[in-house]
């Protein structure tokens, strides 16, 4: 934070750092100073990194000094560089201010920036803490790339409840054998996994290391066959979560116990409403497929410098107060009855040609 003095509240700072404790410290510094952090994955192509920096209009980029940095068109602040003398000035940070900006796939080939406010992150952290009940006895694995919004909860789940955060290597998310060893060696209790990685990690027997108490599956559809095997082979809780980048991390959750033909994505988190609507924004009957819409403080502020796209995807909420917005996800779902009789959301597919590859959104256009 001392090395970031002089930047004004609301300015955007790129984080050109591998996954490490230094990255966690840099994220915290940005949040405390009211700076919007923009992850820059070091192994991304230089053209993409420079394109993100140009779109985001970064005021500075934090780097570790040991790795040559591309030309980002703004000053570099190195972790071992000079720091401002004297006490750090901690500003008052408004909860409507953007905490981070991430770039997701765009049909033009140019990634689009999504700015998510502090209020959305706080709502997510408080809900998950209450829902999953982490304690100082828990150990959470940080293994998601910083450019993927799952990482937001991984960073802050442990610091906000006194648990331990185990930081995987910079390339650890690509190596199931390494992750399996890491989970066992550090007795990790809580882990976020996209279902394809859950499949690779657990193998044919679907076994998790003994210390794992909860697995949060998110990022792509959870196959019923995989869920059934994981539940049968482990004592760990399996939760199926759903959330687009445009709504902080996850907006629905379902505790997987009795597995039918499909695995629901569940019920909405705190202060969040989900709607299944037809093309005229009318609710569809239970069991009928419609498009999923989301409203509440979880929503992003919109797309950076793309008013038309923001207006198309973040529309006026017909069920809310004047000025409320509702996000059109493009996901086709239906309300379904669980075996206990409660209603939850069942994922059906997409309304367009967008696909998921290892949890990453790709628009084929």
């Amino acid at each position: 934070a001392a090395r970031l003095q002089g930047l004004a509240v609301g300015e955007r700072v790129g984080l050109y750092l591998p996954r490490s404790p230094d990255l966690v410290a840099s994220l915290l510094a940005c949040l405390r100073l009211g700076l919007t952090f923009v992850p820059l994955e070091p192994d991304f192509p230089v053209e993409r990194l420079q394109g993100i920096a140009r779109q985001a209009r970064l005021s500075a980029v934090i780097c570790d000094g040991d790795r040559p940095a591309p030309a980002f068109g703004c000053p570099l602040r190195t972790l071992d560089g000079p720091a401002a003398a004297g006490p750090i000035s901690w500003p008052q940070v408004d909860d409507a201010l953007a905490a981070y900006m991430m770039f997701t796939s765009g049909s033009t080939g140019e990634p689009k920036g999504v700015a998510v406010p502090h209020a959305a992150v706080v709502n997510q952290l408080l809900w998950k803490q209450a829902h999953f009940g982490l304690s100082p006895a828990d150990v959470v694995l940080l293994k998601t790339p910083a450019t993927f919004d799952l990482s937001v909860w991984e960073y802050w789940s442990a610091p906000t409840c006194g648990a331990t955060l185990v930081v995987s290597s910079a390339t650890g998310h690509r190596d199931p054998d390494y992750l399996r060893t890491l989970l066992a060696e550090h007795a990790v209790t809580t882990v976020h996994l996209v279902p394809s990685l859950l499949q690779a990690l657990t193998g044919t027997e679907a076994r998790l290391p003994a210390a794992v108490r909860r697995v949060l599956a998110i990022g792509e559809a959870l196959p019923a066959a995989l869920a059934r095997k994981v539940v049968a082979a482990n004592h760990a809780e399996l939760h199926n979560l759903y959330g687009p980048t445009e709504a902080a991390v996850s907006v629905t959750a379902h505790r997987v116990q009795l597995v039918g033909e499909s695995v629901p994505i569940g019920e909405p988190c705190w202060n969040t409403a989900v709607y299944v609507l037809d093309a005229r924004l009318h609710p569809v009957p239970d069991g009928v497929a419609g498009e999923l819409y989301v409203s509440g403080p979880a929503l992003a502020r919109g797309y950076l410098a793309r008013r038309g796209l923001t207006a198309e995807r973040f529309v006026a909420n017909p069920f809310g107060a004047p000025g409320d917005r509702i996000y059109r996800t493009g996901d086709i779902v239906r309300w379904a009855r669980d075996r206990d009789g409660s209603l939850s959301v069942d994922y059906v597919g997409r309304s367009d040609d967008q696909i998921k590859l290892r949890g990453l959104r790709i628009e084929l256009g």
Side-chain angles (χ1 to χ4, degrees):
R3 293 182 178 93
L4 293 171
Q5 292 297 286
L7 296 176
V9 169
E11 291 192 75
R12 301 185 190 117
V13 175
L15 300 180
Y16 184 70
L17 295 168
R19 184 165 46 252
S20 64
D22 284 335
L23 175 58
V24 179
S26 299
L27 289 165
L28 181 56
C30 288
L31 294 177
R32 286 291 310 274
L33 292 171
L35 302 169
T36 301
F37 70 82
V38 182
L40 299 168
E41 196 67 32
D43 62 355
F44 274 10
V46 171
E47 292 81 0
R48 181 180 176 95
L49 293 171
Q50 291 175 330
I52 289 173
R54 183 172 58 253
Q55 282 192 68
R57 297 183 180 179
L58 300 179
S59 298
V61 170
I62 302 174
C63 59
D64 60 13
D66 296 329
R67 176 191 303 268
F72 288 118
C74 62
L76 299 179
R77 303 286 179 100
T78 58
L79 295 173
D80 56 357
I88 298 174
S89 175
W90 300 111
Q92 183 69 33
V93 179
D94 190 279
D95 64 2
L97 190 72
Y100 63 85
M101 179 177 291
M102 292 189 181
F103 284 75
T104 187
S105 176
S107 56
T108 62
E110 188 81 6
K112 51 184 183 283
V114 180
V116 177
H118 280 254
V121 180
V122 171
N123 187 69
Q124 177 74 187
L125 291 173
L126 294 178
W127 166 68
K128 275 189 172 170
Q129 175 57 25
H131 192 73
F132 298 116
L134 271 66
S135 75
D138 277 298
V139 180
V140 181
L141 178 64
L142 168 57
K143 58 92 190 76
T144 303
T147 50
F148 199 0
D149 68 344
L150 298 189
S151 64
V152 172
W153 183 78
E154 289 182 350
Y155 289 125
W156 307 122
S157 58
T160 50
C161 71
T164 299
L165 188 66
V166 173
V167 182
S168 82
S169 69
T171 59
H173 58 284
R174 303 189 191 123
D175 187 345
D177 292 334
Y178 164 80
L179 289 177
R180 195 180 303 109
T181 300
L182 198 66
L183 289 170
E185 284 185 353
H186 295 277
V188 170
T189 66
T190 305
V191 61
H192 246 143
L193 295 168
V194 294
S196 51
L197 182 54
L198 175 60
Q199 173 76 69
L201 190 69
T202 57
T204 55
E205 296 182 355
R207 292 290 297 170
L208 291 158
V212 176
R213 298 215 308 264
R214 56 184 78 79
V215 174
L216 314 182
I218 189 172
E220 58 193 19
L222 175 60
L226 174 61
R228 197 175 295 114
K229 288 170 63 177
V230 171
V231 169
N234 301 277
H235 295 295
E237 297 176 359
L238 176 61
H239 298 266
N240 191 30
L241 286 75
Y242 165 87
T245 303
E246 291 84 353
V249 190
S250 54
V251 294
T252 66
H254 172 75
R255 169 78 184 275
V256 183
Q257 292 174 295
L258 299 173
V259 182
E261 294 182 0
S262 62
V263 182
I265 58 175
E267 300 175 353
C269 72
W270 284 358
N271 305 311
T272 301
V274 297
Y275 307 89
V276 184
L277 308 178
D278 63 19
R280 295 180 296 171
L281 300 187
H282 294 164
V284 300
D286 296 350
V288 175
E291 188 166 358
L292 180 63
Y293 288 75
V294 179
S295 70
L299 292 191
R301 291 163 46 175
Y303 297 111
L304 176 66
R306 298 199 183 186
R307 292 184 179 179
L309 185 60
T310 297
E312 177 187 332
R313 307 301 295 192
F314 294 84
V315 300
N317 185 356
F319 312 103
D324 280 356
R325 300 175 307 147
I326 187 171
Y327 172 64
R328 178 186 174 193
T329 67
D331 288 316
I332 302 301
V333 300
R334 60 181 168 229
W335 288 109
R337 292 279 175 189
D338 292 339
R339 294 192 177 189
D340 61 5
S342 62
L343 270 177
S344 64
V345 180
D346 211 359
Y347 181 81
V348 176
R350 287 289 301 177
S351 63
D352 54 23
D353 294 327
Q354 187 183 96
I355 64 167
K356 285 284 188 78
L357 183 64
R358 297 193 299 276
L360 299 175
R361 288 159 49 171
I362 298 173
E363 295 184 28
L364 297 178

